Amino acid sequence: MEAKIKDLALKYFDQVGFAKATRPLTMDYYDSWIKNGYHGNMEYLRRHQNRKSNPQSLLPGARTWITLALDYDTGEPLSLNIKEEMLREKKGWISRYARNGDYHKEIAKRHEMLVGELSLMFPGEKFLGCVDTKPVLERDVAQQSGLGWIGKNTCLINKDLGSFLFLSEILTTLLMVADNPVADHCGTCTKCLDSCPTGAFISPRHLDATKCISYWTIENETPPPLELAKKFGTNVFGCDICQDVCPWNSKSRRTRQLKTPGESSGILDLEKFSKMSDEDIQEFLDGTAMDRATPQHFRQNIEITLENLRRDSYEG
């Protein structure tokens, strides 16, 4: 049965694994992380704490996680490979995950098709699709499902696909044999920790979100502290540095065929965007994973990036 379900899931996703629908193994760490305020102003993380500890609060009678991964890497260059060009040409970086269409909608569509087929196979069971808008400790579930290990940069890393992955789940009342977790393959490497411009990693796998570029350019609309903003470099929306330097992503790119880039290259003409109206910026954001940002927040990010390029003491 498990093999048949995996074959079915692989019609829609790049990786699939199973885990027991029990309390996440990293729940105590997560509770401590929230208690110490490392989540910043992302209060929805605190509100969802109890639900994340209990999958049955999402689906009564849940017994198994069907964990899914969708590769979003393309042949577009890594940020570290075009850093000098971006500085010279006044370009801004959009995180790879947020380019092109809204992945939430794409994954939900694939969930719907997969759940439709599973419901026909198992008419007495229930299935609930979960994207990252539902209260799930996704990386914990993915690790327990054998899809990879949690790297020192807190991202899930798959030996074949690297870490540029959209994770999602289907929670079900169907009982299945769980896959074995994958061992840690980071070894002594600390490239991700050493490369973070803002020093957001307190220690391996321990992130202070309030120092993270992605937190300030995506989650928090208030102006960041100046000394921190100086280190944002050319990052306008999100940051890929700790993934771009990861040897597992470089290896993945060498050993497989990458997907074709979509319409958006994710490299912005900063001067052009600085002159755009709020309406034009909103039109640019609409239909993408960036539409959670307001035009005002996006403009603030543009202005910080331009100021970094003008500043003699640029530290990015």
Side-chain angles (χ1 to χ4, degrees):
M1 177 182 69
E2 285 81 6
K4 189 174 182 180
I5 292 174
K6 283 189 176 183
D7 287 342
L8 181 60
L10 290 173
K11 288 170 52 179
Y12 305 105
F13 294 90
D14 296 310
Q15 295 273 331
V16 58
F18 307 134
K20 293 180 180 179
T22 55
R23 189 176 189 270
L25 296 182
T26 59
M27 197 67 217
D28 288 344
Y29 167 79
Y30 183 77
D31 289 342
S32 174
W33 187 77
I34 294 288
K35 182 179 179 180
N36 287 315
Y38 291 124
H39 65 304
N41 72 347
M42 296 182 286
E43 283 303 305
Y44 62 89
L45 297 180
R46 185 189 297 277
R47 291 195 301 271
H48 295 165
Q49 263 181 280
N50 290 336
R51 299 189 72 192
K52 286 180 176 176
S53 69
N54 180 19
Q56 288 68 37
S57 69
L58 297 175
L59 180 67
R63 303 168 85 180
T64 305
W65 288 108
I66 302 174
T67 311
L68 306 156
L70 188 64
D71 169 32
Y72 65 82
D73 197 7
T74 68
E76 296 169 285
L78 300 174
S79 59
L80 68 160
N81 293 337
I82 57 171
K83 179 178 178 180
E84 295 305 319
E85 174 187 336
M86 293 180 67
L87 293 173
R88 184 174 62 253
E89 299 182 6
K90 294 185 178 180
K91 303 292 186 181
W93 183 263
I94 298 296
S95 184
R96 197 173 303 277
Y97 89 91
R99 302 172 185 181
N100 304 304
D102 188 342
Y103 68 91
H104 300 93
K105 296 177 181 177
E106 176 62 28
I107 291 175
K109 181 174 66 176
R110 295 178 188 230
H111 278 180
E112 184 177 359
M113 292 187 287
L114 177 54
V115 166
E117 296 197 53
L118 289 171
S119 297
L120 290 175
M121 292 171 62
F122 306 99
E125 305 293 349
K126 296 179 181 178
F127 301 90
L128 175 68
C130 302
V131 195
D132 62 8
T133 52
K134 282 192 168 63
V136 180
L137 284 185
E138 292 190 308
R139 286 164 291 179
D140 183 298
V141 173
Q143 183 178 33
Q144 298 312 310
S145 299
L147 295 193
W149 69 95
I150 298 176
K152 293 176 184 177
N153 60 2
T154 74
C155 295
L156 185 94
I157 303 174
N158 180 279
K159 287 184 73 173
D160 297 322
L161 300 179
S163 65
F164 294 121
L165 300 171
F166 290 131
L167 300 177
S168 66
E169 305 78 30
I170 293 175
L171 186 58
T172 178
T173 55
L174 181 65
L175 180 62
M176 287 182 279
V177 176
D179 287 297
N180 293 320
V182 175
D184 177 4
H185 290 281
C186 286
T188 59
C189 179
T190 58
K191 286 186 177 182
C192 59
L193 309 181
D194 300 336
S195 66
C196 179
T198 57
F201 295 106
I202 300 168
S203 59
R205 301 176 182 86
H206 192 168
L207 174 72
D208 181 352
T210 66
K211 295 181 179 179
C212 179
I213 294 173
S214 290
Y215 168 76
W216 287 103
T217 58
I218 299 174
E219 300 285 351
N220 194 336
E221 293 192 13
T222 59
L226 177 59
E227 291 307 308
L228 196 66
K230 287 180 181 179
K231 300 175 182 179
F232 288 5
T234 57
N235 292 290
V236 173
F237 190 90
C239 176
D240 292 328
I241 292 173
C242 68
Q243 296 191 81
D244 283 355
V245 300
C246 178
W248 286 102
N249 282 325
S250 299
K251 179 180 179 181
S252 167
R253 285 177 150 230
R254 290 194 304 268
T255 57
R256 64 191 175 91
Q257 181 68 40
L258 294 173
K259 296 181 179 180
T260 303
E263 295 179 2
S264 170
S265 69
I267 310 299
L268 302 186
D269 182 329
L270 295 172
E271 296 286 4
K272 173 186 174 182
F273 272 81
S274 70
K275 298 172 184 176
M276 288 170 60
S277 66
D278 285 353
E279 291 76 15
D280 288 339
I281 291 178
Q282 186 62 63
E283 183 177 353
F284 172 75
L285 300 175
D286 286 344
T288 73
M290 294 183 285
D291 66 3
R292 62 189 298 181
T294 63
Q296 294 76 24
H297 187 197
F298 198 78
R299 186 185 302 282
Q300 174 180 277
N301 294 344
I302 293 283
E303 291 172 353
I304 288 172
T305 306
L306 280 171
E307 184 60 29
N308 282 338
L309 293 175
R310 297 186 192 108
R311 188 182 292 111
D312 291 338
S313 59
Y314 166 63
E315 302 174 31

